[in-house]
Amino acid sequence: MSSPIESVLQEQRLFYPSLEFSAQAKIGSLEQYHQLYRQAEADPVKFWSDLATQELDWFDRWHTTLDWQPPLVKWFDGGKLNISYNCLDRHLLTWRRNKAALIWEGEPGDSRTYTYAQLHREVCLFANVLKQLGVQKGDVVGIYLPMIPEAAIAMLACARIGAPHSVVFGGFSAEALRDRLNDGKAKLVITADGGWRKDAIVPLKDQVDIALTHVPTVENVLVVQRTGQKIQMLPGRDHWWHDLKQGVNADCPAEPMASEDILFILYTSGSTGKPKGVVHTTAGYNLYTHITTQWIFDLKDTDVYWCTADVGWITGHSYIVYGPLSNGATTLMYEGAPRPSNPGCTWEIIEKHGVNIFYTAPTAIRSFIKQGEHLPKARDLSSLRLLGTVGEPINPEAWMWYYRIIGQERCPIVDTWWQTETGGIMISALPGAMATKPGSATLPFPGIIADVVDLEGNPVGVNEGGYLVIKHPFPSMMRTIYNDPDRFRSSYWEHIPPKEGQYFYFAGDGARKDEDGYFWVMGRVDDVINVAGHRLGTMEIESALVSHPAVAEAAVVGKPDEIKGEEICAFIILEGSQTANEELAQELKQHVVKEIGAIARPGEIKFTDALPKTRSGKIMRRLLRSLAAQQEITSDTSTLEDRSVLDKLREGA
Ligand code: PRX
């Protein structure tokens, strides 16, 4: 069926950047954005080739800017460069040599700052230790670390010697780690004794020990000491980083890498089947993350930039490590998550370091709202000049709170839509150039030909829902799924079949475009609910529920219904002071009718204390769907943050 998704969200507010912001911005007007966009659209090869010449340092120039044999792509073929060189060495030749590259805050209150020169030295030492342990160009290295500087150092060290890294989020279980290491045939694992998260120690090395009983390819484990807790060290296999560091020198020239050499593999979960190893290569990824960081975050040399993601996610790869450092920026990294003993630590860190640019996720914003505005109000946030969000659609209520309470109505918000697969931000405001609308990611980045189409690839009408696609190759696009090129084709390129030579990259989101061409992402299409023949996106119904003052968070799913096909089942977390009762359930149903219409009226409301989420904060609606339909959960739960949530939900059902 090619019927698109119906859009029911009404949001008319428009927020312009201040004249002062636009005047200092890299891209300062809508006209300038349109001009760049048109240039890139008319001649993408020239557009990207000019930027690659201006923005990156190369050992050898490429001969072919774009080689597109759909869905296989090569960018800058024939060229040689090294992303670690672009992130470090080239800045040492300038005044940035002694500029802060990385400011790190540990959860217990310790902190460290590395200048570019210091970071370069640490990376070279680390790279030489890896070499000493037998790691060669092309060997996959697993990284399973907390958010400590060594995570960035290890990534840059791998990149420096041409060993693709496969970072596994430190919150994943031993089984999840084992599967990812086996898929990549990792030769070495970098880990720590433990890490701090939410006032507790995460026993990383213990997990590695369990995982490695079933990973035959790993020969060595390099262990960073973080917590000092007692761990087992297997003689011959396990080595302390601080010991080996003493025996190597700090001279390690960056290996010239071909543009299309693999830089890293990063696993992302599909709704079915095993996680997919998304492959990114060197040059296109370096260029695209570099230029998007510069234009979207309007980065200045004087800025302190803080992205709160974990390095285990693509956001951490692209916008904590590679994008900012390639630009010579000061990037801030925090070890933990807002924690019970100090819920206001986020605002304390902004005040302490005078953070100018703050990039976080809607799930974090919603938890800040729940904690209360007295916490940010107790701190001086006047250094902030730009805010960002990523990871899921942001509901307009949360957007407004972020704008008013954190940005103090002064900071533009860039709502950035992208994916692990795209490597960098695809759709986002350029903050000095365009007005924003709460809940819209606004317009595509120059060079990104995005559209909303039906199943035959025809553009849908204004404000009609459909499938969000990208119609032209771009430098940071994923190259394949590691070990599974067939799945790469079928997952991303066949959902909407090519026609007349036009290929459609589709990675699963529904969206609409409004009369200004602004994109409104409506969530994953596998989460779409079909009520009486109307396909409704979950995001819009959830936004309506959250706009009721009693509701802190909402997740809606479809539940089989004999008459309507599906009926809407809403899982609701109430604000602290509210009590769950039938009267409130009725009131919430009516509220959705008022906000959206009778079509979206939830058939059932279930009150709960927690929702099943991935470690990166995405609601796992497929698990809620099974619960709502009272079915066994048979799909993959390895990415679930807290398994006890499912039991609680079952008990409450
Ligand atoms: O559904 C979209 C949602 O997150 C998905 C990508 O997830 P992941 O690969 O984990 O990468 C997250 C960080 C880039 C997308 O397919 N998503 C991400 N950003 C947004 C979003 N949905 C709406 N608005 C966004 N700004």
Side-chain angles (χ1 to χ4, degrees):
M1 186 172 81
S2 71
S3 136
I5 308 156
E6 291 185 28
S7 173
V8 285
L9 184 75
Q10 300 284 330
E11 175 58 64
Q12 308 291 350
R13 287 170 287 197
L14 200 59
F15 293 84
Y16 288 90
S18 66
L19 291 176
E20 296 78 36
F21 191 96
S22 294
Q24 60 80 58
K26 183 105 188 168
I27 316 290
S29 70
L30 194 57
E31 200 184 351
Q32 198 186 347
Y33 161 77
H34 281 310
Q35 200 185 350
L36 282 166
Y37 194 87
R38 277 196 300 267
Q39 264 175 25
E41 194 175 22
D43 193 348
V45 166
K46 178 169 174 4
F47 181 78
W48 291 117
S49 158
D50 286 353
L51 282 173
T53 309
Q54 288 156 22
E55 301 288 332
L56 300 185
D57 284 25
W58 296 81
F59 300 136
D60 287 328
R61 196 178 161 83
W62 61 96
H63 50 69
T64 311
T65 301
L66 171 63
D67 176 358
W68 176 221
Q69 313 209 11
L72 303 180
V73 75
K74 288 184 190 161
W75 281 94
F76 310 109
D77 201 16
K80 290 244 163 93
L81 76 173
N82 187 298
I83 196 168
S84 139
Y85 183 94
N86 278 315
C87 287
L88 300 167
D89 306 50
R90 63 171 170 166
H91 305 311
L92 304 191
L93 309 171
T94 71
W95 67 270
R96 291 193 186 104
R97 182 180 175 83
N98 296 318
K99 174 182 174 176
L102 182 66
I103 300 177
W104 173 77
E105 280 287 327
E107 210 184 74
D110 46 348
S111 72
R112 280 187 251 165
T113 298
Y114 293 82
T115 64
Y116 273 93
Q118 290 167 330
L119 191 62
H120 173 262
R121 185 181 152 79
E122 287 293 303
V123 168
C124 289
L125 291 170
F126 211 108
N128 278 336
V129 165
L130 292 177
K131 281 192 198 165
Q132 198 187 63
L133 291 173
V135 177
Q136 293 177 356
K137 187 171 174 176
D139 289 339
V140 173
V141 172
I143 299 181
Y144 186 64
L145 282 172
M147 283 287 285
I148 53 177
E150 286 79 1
I153 291 167
M155 289 163 74
L156 290 159
C158 288
R160 194 164 189 88
I161 61 175
H165 55 70
S166 167
V167 182
V168 179
F169 172 56
F172 277 155
S173 63
E175 295 80 50
L177 174 64
R178 177 198 62 203
D179 292 348
R180 287 158 176 77
L181 294 174
N182 273 327
D183 191 66
K185 298 195 177 52
K187 191 161 176 198
L188 179 141
V189 177
I190 302 165
T191 190
D193 46 358
W196 288 100
R197 195 175 155 84
K198 298 192 181 174
D199 292 326
I201 286 181
V202 185
L204 293 165
K205 176 62 167 57
D206 296 352
Q207 299 293 315
V208 170
D209 291 342
I210 299 169
L212 289 191
T213 55
H214 289 92
V215 187
T217 52
V218 169
E219 292 165 9
N220 290 290
V221 179
L222 186 56
V223 188
V224 179
Q225 190 167 41
R226 166 61 185 137
T227 55
Q229 92 225 52
K230 206 171 156 23
I231 54 166
Q232 302 285 337
M233 292 291 279
L234 190 68
R237 185 195 71 179
D238 300 349
H239 318 267
W240 285 109
W241 152 237
H242 58 258
D243 285 344
L244 297 194
K245 183 181 180 179
Q246 307 305 327
V248 292
N249 72 37
D251 181 27
C252 180
E255 181 73 26
M257 301 299 291
S259 294
E260 284 298 333
D261 278 340
I262 298 184
L263 175 62
F264 64 84
I265 309 166
L266 184 60
Y267 289 84
T268 181
S269 53
S271 45
T272 51
K274 62 176 187 134
K276 299 177 276 198
V278 171
V279 172
H280 283 289
T281 56
T282 304
Y285 176 84
N286 192 167
L287 177 63
Y288 194 78
T289 52
H290 174 95
I291 202 66
T292 46
T293 307
Q294 198 181 102
W295 292 1
I296 294 170
F297 297 110
D298 189 44
L299 204 58
K300 302 290 186 304
D301 253 317
T302 44
D303 283 324
V304 175
Y305 161 93
W306 182 17
C307 166
T308 67
D310 193 284
V311 286
W313 311 121
I314 190 68
T315 312
H317 284 55
S318 302
Y319 298 111
I320 294 179
V321 181
Y322 291 118
L325 295 178
S326 180
N327 281 286
T330 298
T331 184
L332 191 148
M333 185 173 176
Y334 175 58
E335 180 177 27
R339 57 190 198 275
S341 66
N342 184 4
C345 61
T346 307
W347 321 118
E348 198 177 309
I349 292 171
I350 292 178
E351 181 182 89
K352 176 175 172 191
H353 293 286
V355 171
N356 307 105
I357 303 170
F358 180 64
Y359 188 32
T360 194
T363 177
I365 297 170
R366 287 192 297 267
S367 71
F368 296 145
I369 297 175
K370 211 168 167 215
Q371 286 164 357
E373 53 188 67
H374 60 286
L375 293 172
K377 282 189 168 157
R379 295 288 170 180
D380 178 4
L381 306 182
S382 60
S383 58
L384 289 172
R385 63 183 200 88
L386 179 66
L387 303 175
T389 79
V390 58
E392 54 181 318
I394 180 162
N395 46 299
E397 291 299 311
W399 196 101
M400 287 306 303
W401 186 91
Y402 198 30
Y403 184 74
R404 281 192 300 108
I405 306 298
I406 308 307
Q408 298 165 352
E409 304 188 16
R410 175 186 73 241
C411 306
I413 298 179
V414 289
D415 174 353
T416 61
W417 177 84
W418 58 295
Q419 311 175 302
T420 306
E421 292 88 339
T422 67
I425 298 167
M426 298 279 103
I427 303 179
S428 164
L430 297 180
M434 57 199 65
T436 50
K437 303 181 186 184
S440 168
T442 76
L443 297 167
F445 195 78
I448 303 306
I449 314 295
D451 205 351
V452 181
V453 301
D454 63 19
L455 268 189
E456 282 83 50
N458 304 309
V460 300
V462 169
N463 281 324
E464 273 178 32
Y467 303 99
L468 178 51
V469 294
I470 297 170
K471 304 207 296 201
H472 193 275
F474 51 94
S476 66
M477 62 200 277
M478 75 185 287
R479 298 304 195 256
T480 188
I481 294 177
Y482 201 67
N483 292 330
D484 204 346
D486 292 340
R487 191 169 175 208
F488 169 61
R489 280 171 201 271
S490 63
S491 300
Y492 302 103
W493 299 95
E494 290 172 359
H495 191 83
I496 298 162
K499 66 170 187 185
E500 293 154 24
Q502 171 69 63
Y503 278 72
F504 300 90
Y505 167 81
F506 175 64
D509 286 337
R512 71 180 162 97
K513 262 200 299 183
D514 70 13
E515 47 291 333
D516 298 322
Y518 278 37
F519 285 75
W520 298 76
V521 179
M522 289 151 58
R524 309 286 303 168
V525 291
D526 15 341
D527 288 338
V528 159
I529 305 176
N530 198 329
V531 184
H534 297 270
R535 290 159 61 87
L536 303 174
T538 50
M539 186 263 166
E540 301 186 326
I541 307 167
E542 288 163 5
S543 278
L545 283 162
V546 174
S547 72
H548 188 285
V551 177
E553 194 155 10
V556 301
V557 293
K559 170 179 168 180
D561 181 271
E562 273 182 19
I563 298 168
K564 294 189 259 179
E566 283 189 304
E567 83 166 4
I568 296 168
C569 177
F571 292 80
I572 302 287
I573 301 179
L574 290 174
E575 288 288 354
S577 57
Q578 302 287 329
T579 359
N581 55 42
E582 183 50 33
E583 203 183 330
L584 182 56
Q586 289 306 329
E587 189 179 320
L588 293 179
K589 290 180 186 176
Q590 265 327 102
H591 182 71
V592 176
V593 173
K594 181 170 114 289
E595 292 290 307
I596 299 180
I599 178 70
R601 184 180 208 276
E604 191 174 355
I605 301 267
K606 286 179 189 283
F607 294 105
T608 171
D609 293 335
L611 291 166
K613 289 188 179 173
T614 63
R615 303 269 180 172
S616 61
K618 286 194 176 50
I619 297 168
M620 296 178 79
R621 292 189 187 74
R622 65 187 152 86
L623 302 183
L624 291 176
R625 263 198 304 277
S626 304
L627 287 173
Q630 298 190 332
Q631 290 162 349
E632 280 280 308
I633 294 176
T634 49
S635 57
D636 177 35
T637 53
S638 69
T639 54
L640 187 62
E641 178 168 31
D642 177 1
R643 300 175 76 95
S644 70
V645 170
L646 288 184
D647 299 329
K648 284 195 207 129
L649 280 164
R650 261 195 222 102
E651 282 160 24

Coordinates of all heavy atoms in Angstrom, one line a residue, residues 4 450-462 464-467 469 471 499 504 513:
P4 N 0.4 7.3 2.3 CA 1.3 7.9 3.2 C 0.8 8.0 4.6 O -0.3 7.6 4.9 CB 1.6 9.2 2.5 CG 0.6 9.5 1.6 CD -0.2 8.2 1.4
A450 N 16.9 16.1 -0.1 CA 15.9 15.3 0.6 C 14.5 15.6 0.1 O 14.2 16.6 -0.4 CB 16.0 15.7 2.1
D451 N 13.7 14.6 0.3 CA 12.3 14.8 -0.2 C 11.4 13.8 0.6 O 11.8 12.9 1.3 CB 12.2 14.4 -1.7 CG 11.0 15.1 -2.4 OD1 10.2 15.7 -1.7 OD2 10.9 15.1 -3.6
V452 N 10.1 14.1 0.5 CA 9.1 13.2 1.1 C 8.2 12.6 -0.1 O 7.7 13.4 -0.8 CB 8.2 14.0 2.1 CG1 7.2 13.1 2.7 CG2 9.0 14.7 3.1
V453 N 8.2 11.3 -0.1 CA 7.7 10.6 -1.3 C 6.7 9.5 -0.9 O 6.7 9.1 0.3 CB 8.8 10.1 -2.2 CG1 9.7 11.1 -2.7 CG2 9.5 8.9 -1.5
D454 N 5.9 9.0 -1.9 CA 5.1 7.8 -1.6 C 5.9 6.6 -2.0 O 7.1 6.7 -2.4 CB 3.8 7.9 -2.3 CG 3.9 8.0 -3.9 OD1 5.0 7.6 -4.4 OD2 3.0 8.4 -4.6
L455 N 5.3 5.4 -2.0 CA 6.0 4.2 -2.2 C 6.5 4.0 -3.6 O 7.4 3.2 -3.9 CB 5.2 3.0 -1.9 CG 5.3 2.4 -0.5 CD1 4.6 1.1 -0.3 CD2 6.8 2.2 -0.1
E456 N 6.0 4.8 -4.6 CA 6.4 4.8 -5.9 C 7.5 5.8 -6.2 O 8.0 6.0 -7.3 CB 5.3 5.0 -6.9 CG 4.4 3.8 -7.2 CD 3.4 3.6 -6.1 OE1 2.7 4.7 -5.8 OE2 3.3 2.6 -5.5
G457 N 7.9 6.6 -5.2 CA 8.9 7.6 -5.3 C 8.4 8.9 -5.8 O 9.2 9.8 -6.1
N458 N 7.0 9.1 -5.8 CA 6.5 10.4 -6.3 C 6.4 11.3 -5.0 O 5.9 10.9 -4.0 CB 5.1 10.2 -6.8 CG 5.1 9.2 -7.9 OD1 5.9 9.3 -8.9 ND2 4.2 8.2 -7.8
P459 N 6.8 12.6 -5.2 CA 6.7 13.5 -4.1 C 5.3 13.7 -3.7 O 4.4 13.7 -4.5 CB 7.2 14.9 -4.7 CG 8.0 14.5 -5.9 CD 7.5 13.2 -6.4
V460 N 5.0 13.7 -2.4 CA 3.7 13.9 -1.9 C 3.4 15.4 -1.8 O 4.3 16.2 -1.9 CB 3.4 13.2 -0.5 CG1 3.7 11.7 -0.6 CG2 4.3 13.8 0.6
G461 N 2.1 15.7 -1.6 CA 1.8 17.2 -1.6 C 2.2 17.9 -0.3 O 2.7 17.2 0.7
V462 N 2.1 19.2 -0.3 CA 2.5 20.0 0.8 C 1.7 19.5 2.1 O 0.5 19.3 2.0 CB 2.1 21.5 0.5 CG1 2.2 22.3 1.8 CG2 3.1 22.0 -0.5
E464 N 1.5 16.7 3.4 CA 1.0 15.4 3.4 C 2.2 14.5 3.9 O 3.4 14.7 3.5 CB 0.7 14.9 1.9 CG -0.7 15.2 1.5 CD -1.0 14.7 0.1 OE1 -0.4 13.8 -0.3 OE2 -1.8 15.4 -0.5
G465 N 1.9 13.5 4.7 CA 2.9 12.6 5.2 C 3.4 11.6 4.2 O 2.6 11.3 3.2
G466 N 4.6 11.2 4.3 CA 5.2 10.2 3.3 C 6.5 9.7 3.9 O 6.8 9.9 5.1
Y467 N 7.3 9.2 3.0 CA 8.6 8.6 3.4 C 9.7 9.6 3.1 O 9.8 10.1 2.0 CB 8.8 7.3 2.6 CG 7.7 6.3 2.7 CD1 6.7 6.2 1.8 CD2 7.7 5.5 3.9 CE1 5.7 5.3 2.0 CE2 6.6 4.6 4.1 CZ 5.6 4.5 3.1 OH 4.6 3.6 3.4
V469 N 13.2 10.6 2.2 CA 14.3 9.9 1.4 C 15.4 11.0 1.0 O 15.2 12.2 1.1 CB 13.8 9.4 0.0 CG1 12.8 8.2 0.3 CG2 13.1 10.4 -0.8
K471 N 18.0 11.7 -2.2 CA 18.0 11.4 -3.6 C 19.3 11.6 -4.4 O 19.4 11.3 -5.5 CB 16.9 12.2 -4.4 CG 15.5 12.0 -3.7 CD 14.3 12.2 -4.6 CE 14.1 13.5 -5.2 NZ 12.7 13.7 -5.6
K499 N 13.6 4.4 -9.9 CA 12.9 4.6 -11.2 C 13.6 5.6 -12.1 O 14.1 6.6 -11.6 CB 11.4 4.9 -11.0 CG 11.1 6.2 -10.4 CD 9.6 6.5 -10.5 CE 9.4 7.9 -10.0 NZ 8.0 8.2 -10.0
F504 N 16.6 6.0 -4.4 CA 16.0 6.6 -3.2 C 16.7 5.9 -1.9 O 16.4 4.7 -1.7 CB 14.5 6.4 -3.1 CG 13.8 7.1 -4.3 CD1 13.5 6.3 -5.4 CD2 13.4 8.4 -4.2 CE1 12.9 6.9 -6.5 CE2 12.7 9.0 -5.3 CZ 12.5 8.2 -6.4
K513 N 6.5 17.8 4.5 CA 7.1 19.1 4.2 C 6.0 20.1 4.2 O 4.9 19.9 3.7 CB 7.7 19.1 2.8 CG 9.2 18.8 2.8 CD 9.9 19.3 1.6 CE 9.5 18.7 0.3 NZ 10.4 19.1 -0.8

